[in-house]
Amino acid sequence: MSTQLTTVSPATTIAEAATLMASRHIGSAIVCQGEELVGIFTERDIVRALSQDFDAPGEPIEHWMTRNPTTVGPDTDVRKCLDIMMSRGFRHLPVTEGPTVVGIVSIRDLSRALSEGSSSPQG
């Protein structure tokens, strides 16, 4: 699990989010309205937006993000996280404690944890 979160607001444009994600070499950004998790915006969303709308780079991500994303807790078993991701086609899952986003787990994190024999996404 990564605890270095990249958060953006729903009003962030696709171009701004894509630039931020590229500069940090990440595949997703957590979308928050104040402190509240409202969505997740991923590389797949960028591709979908650009393929469907010529003017997409200037649009807010709120039109393209996944709203109310599935989340897991920091103690959720690695295999359970992997099951969720595989069954729903996700590559990233926000990790929450109550209403607070404390991290994000990627399919790469889970693969690494499984190869190292860890049972929680925290490693």
Side-chain angles (χ1 to χ4, degrees):
M1 170 178 87
S2 174
T3 57
Q4 294 192 353
L5 298 173
T6 297
T7 60
V8 294
S9 78
T12 302
T13 67
I14 290 172
E16 291 167 332
T19 300
L20 180 63
M21 290 163 58
S23 72
R24 295 186 180 176
H25 306 287
I26 56 172
S28 66
I30 301 294
V31 184
C32 293
Q33 187 75 49
E35 296 292 316
E36 180 186 357
L37 171 67
V38 295
I40 187 168
F41 186 72
T42 69
E43 295 166 317
R44 288 179 178 176
D45 296 322
I46 294 167
V47 171
R48 183 170 49 93
L50 294 175
S51 71
Q52 294 179 20
D53 185 348
F54 178 80
D55 294 325
E59 291 183 9
I61 62 173
E62 68 184 325
H63 298 297
W64 301 96
M65 69 183 189
T66 299
R67 295 181 180 279
N68 305 312
T70 300
T71 63
V72 294
D75 296 325
T76 304
D77 181 75
V78 168
R79 292 205 183 274
K80 173 132 175 95
C81 292
L82 187 58
D83 287 345
I84 292 168
M85 293 172 91
M86 296 301 289
S87 68
R88 298 186 184 178
F90 300 159
R91 288 192 248 174
H92 304 90
L93 276 175
V95 180
T96 57
E97 280 187 297
T100 305
V101 181
V102 296
I104 190 158
V105 64
S106 70
I107 199 81
R108 181 178 296 141
D109 296 331
L110 297 179
S111 177
R112 187 177 306 119
L114 286 171
S115 70
E116 294 171 358
S118 181
S119 61
S120 78
Q122 292 185 46

